[in-house]
Amino acid sequence: MRDGGGSCQERCSRLWRTLREVCDDEGVEKTSVPRTARQRARAEITGEIIAAARRQLAAEGAPSLSLRAVARDLGMVSSAVYRYVSSRDDLLTLLIVDAYDALGEAVELAEGRVGRGRLAARFAAACRAVREWALANPNEYALIYGSPVPGYVAPESTIGPASRVSAVLLQVLLDAVAADLLTPAADGDAIAPAAASALVPLRAVVPPELPPALLQRALLVWTALFGTVSFELFGQLHNVVAETPAARAAFFDECVRRWTAIVGIAVPAAPARRGQAGRTGR
Amino acid sequence: MRDGGGSCQERCSRLWRTLREVCDDEGVEKTSVPRTARQRARAEITGEIIAAARRQLAAEGAPSLSLRAVARDLGMVSSAVYRYVSSRDDLLTLLIVDAYDALGEAVELAEGRVGRGRLAARFAAACRAVREWALANPNEYALIYGSPVPGYVAPESTIGPASRVSAVLLQVLLDAVAADLLTPAADGDAIAPAAASALVPLRAVVPPELPPALLQRALLVWTALFGTVSFELFGQLHNVVAETPAARAAFFDECVRRWTAIVGIAVPAAPARRGQAGRTGR
DNA sequence: TGTACATCAGTGAACGCGCGTTCACTGATGTAC
DNA sequence: TGTACATCAGTGAACGCGCGTTCACTGATGTAC
């Protein structure tokens, strides 16, 4: 298991902690320090199973992930894996949680490196971190944001980790609201009543400083962000945006600039930063 | 095979025909009227194979699509299918082309039903048609816009049909430009040079009336559209937007309204149409 | 029009593979007296 | 501290399944003389 964000206590957004409380009523399994040799071994081997599964996922993709291959990779007999994982679906769940956590952590770290007052830069860093993590881990990304595995139903334990990225983005918005740095869209920022009430589930979990119209803007950008990353990763930009990494990064940066404006965060004067998209600061 | 848009001669966008010419250098297989009984039977059974595959796809999803199951469904022996389809990948390609064509046709029809001058309504009709087709055919949608099947590489023959939806959307933009009805975004509509040159592949296939900055806006909306539909279909809106069909439709309609503004098409005065999302006119 | 041959659709058996999951078992690790 | 029992990790074999693909074959449909 990756460490999953236990190390970012002070940086970790208030919002994420709130969401965590909401979602973590069950399934927290106290990971107290293991004592006996057996417990230690069990924890270690469980970790190795997940690591092997992740390797296989990265190499072959989710559809051809198999318990037998994982066992083979570890030099175990296939039935032995059942001491640690109750079924293939269970292993899938572990990987899904793991992927959400890895992405969430990457985004939190990237966004956390930017000065708190630089809201546009924080937003951009988060967006870029999503894309970069996805490019570096395409199969893990596809596992969580691609087509659902038929017959698999994600258990409750996935929804906490799944919300980490959104929590970061929303926290940026919250801070912008608090600092009064959000430019409301000139017109059309009134939201249809039906649309406002459609957002009830989200509003139940988000502070009231974020009014429906702002949430709507945020959701629009949220879906656009993942839509763009998915399109790039899934080959839909073929023959549309040039294939070179630089061109892809430039296209994405341009999207980020516009999303920033759409969501209402003031964009700094400099038109667009050139060169590597990997930089988060400056 | 679905009929694939041969019937919309006058409505079918100029742009789509242009793209078609660009893409159809090869792989057109003259479907002249079959003469002999053998040829007739062959065409018919090929159709039945695709229909059976589509049924299986709809029922089980792409990952568990198998030649043997298709054969079983048709009462044939599995090896007989190889008279019509050279491999499983070949069958997948047929289904992919079929799905793109079905979606493209649905969008063309919906958009074609709206009066030419009502640009915002045409745009909205196209967006809604995408969503409705996706909701009605989730597995076909996942096949073309979900995670790519590992190891499968889409052949050239898919890229023509894949561009039908974009062609409709771009045609709306073209008409808006021609009628001088596009409101340029107040600020930030200058595009970074690197981003402009990233769009070279798209610009090669699109009339010069569409400048880079406008294309960028169009792409942003394009990815947002499919990102939103994918999120809804793939379960990412769980706990965010209420689950009822009405709430989902209201959320989507609100997105459409904003995309319309983002892309620069003037939105009519009426704030939002209420009731069924299925209506395209009025 | 009639025969001889070529083409082709569909059969049935087989090859070789991988999968998830169960089950009785062995030996090592832990625990209670 | 030492023994008796319980717990648990890992083995190896098996069940039952489905898959893609090949191949020699049969019989029907088409074609050329």
Side-chain angles (χ1 to χ4, degrees), chain B residues 38 42 45 68 76-77 79-80 83-84:
Chain B
R38 244 185 209 165
R42 171 163 257 277
I45 294 182
R68 289 188 106 110
M76 299 170 102
V77 95
S79 52
R83 295 276 168 214
Y84 301 92

Side-chain angles (χ1 to χ4, degrees), chain A:
Chain A
M1 289 261 195
R2 289 161 191 181
D3 48 352
S7 61
C8 62
Q9 295 293 2
E10 73 285 26
R11 283 255 127 122
C12 210
S13 70
R14 282 177 290 130
L15 186 60
W16 157 233
R17 281 198 300 262
T18 312
L19 289 172
R20 193 183 244 162
E21 282 160 25
V22 169
C23 306
D24 275 6
D25 293 340
E26 56 162 338
V28 188
E29 289 164 37
K30 290 261 174 251
T31 35
S32 56
V33 184
R35 276 180 310 225
T36 79
R38 242 186 210 163
Q39 284 170 311
R40 221 184 329 257
R42 171 163 258 277
E44 194 165 315
I45 294 183
T46 306
E48 278 170 26
I49 286 175
I50 294 181
R54 202 158 54 210
R55 255 176 279 134
Q56 198 183 142
L57 172 62
E60 311 283 343
S64 52
L65 175 78
S66 83
L67 283 185
R68 290 189 105 109
V70 167
R72 233 177 286 132
D73 192 276
L74 295 175
M76 301 169 101
V77 94
S78 69
S79 51
V81 183
Y82 283 85
R83 295 275 167 216
Y84 301 92
V85 152
S86 69
S87 68
R88 199 193 104 110
D89 277 10
D90 193 36
L91 181 60
L92 257 189
T93 299
L94 289 176
L95 286 177
I96 288 173
V97 169
D98 201 68
Y100 275 128
D101 271 328
L103 171 61
E105 200 184 336
V107 171
E108 285 164 11
L109 284 176
E111 188 266 348
R113 257 185 246 112
V114 181
R116 297 296 81 190
R118 305 180 53 228
L119 293 162
R122 282 169 63 191
F123 174 78
C127 291
R128 290 201 193 100
V130 169
R131 173 169 178 265
E132 274 151 34
W133 185 88
L135 289 178
N137 306 276
N139 285 332
E140 289 186 84
Y141 179 87
L143 178 64
I144 51 182
Y145 288 105
S147 4
V149 179
Y152 173 83
V153 282
E156 295 291 314
S157 59
T158 60
I159 75 176
S163 59
R164 287 175 73 167
V165 172
S166 334
V168 171
L169 296 174
L170 282 172
Q171 185 66 50
V172 175
L173 279 197
L174 270 175
D175 290 357
V177 168
D180 210 12
L181 280 174
L182 265 199
T183 55
D187 62 323
D189 209 38
I191 192 175
S197 68
L199 300 185
V200 164
L202 176 60
R203 283 157 71 191
V205 91
V206 137
E209 293 93 308
L210 298 173
L214 182 51
L215 285 181
Q216 179 75 33
R217 281 199 254 165
L219 286 176
L220 194 137
V221 165
W222 180 57
T223 57
L225 164 60
F226 285 95
T228 305
V229 170
S230 293
F231 261 24
E232 178 173 358
L233 225 66
F234 298 168
Q236 228 77 33
L237 297 188
H238 193 69
N239 287 338
V240 176
V241 177
E243 306 275 352
T244 68
R248 290 289 161 97
F251 170 69
F252 188 79
D253 277 358
E254 187 64 32
C255 289
V256 170
R257 252 188 70 228
R258 285 164 193 244
W259 295 329
T260 312
I262 289 168
V263 91
I265 300 175
V267 188
R273 66 183 57 84
R274 315 206 313 119
Q276 292 296 89
R279 304 296 158 60
T280 53
R282 189 67 346 174

Side-chain angles (χ1 to χ4, degrees), chain B residues 52-114:
Chain B
R54 202 157 55 211
R55 255 175 280 135
Q56 198 184 138
L57 172 63
E60 310 284 342
S64 51
L65 175 78
S66 85
L67 283 185
R68 289 188 106 110
V70 168
R72 233 177 287 133
D73 191 277
L74 295 175
M76 299 170 102
V77 95
S78 70
S79 52
V81 181
Y82 283 84
R83 295 276 168 214
Y84 301 92
V85 152
S86 69
S87 69
R88 198 193 103 110
D89 277 9
D90 193 37
L91 181 60
L92 257 189
T93 300
L94 290 176
L95 286 177
I96 287 172
V97 169
D98 200 67
Y100 275 128
D101 272 327
L103 170 61
E105 201 185 333
V107 171
E108 285 163 11
L109 284 176
E111 188 265 349
R113 256 185 247 114
V114 181

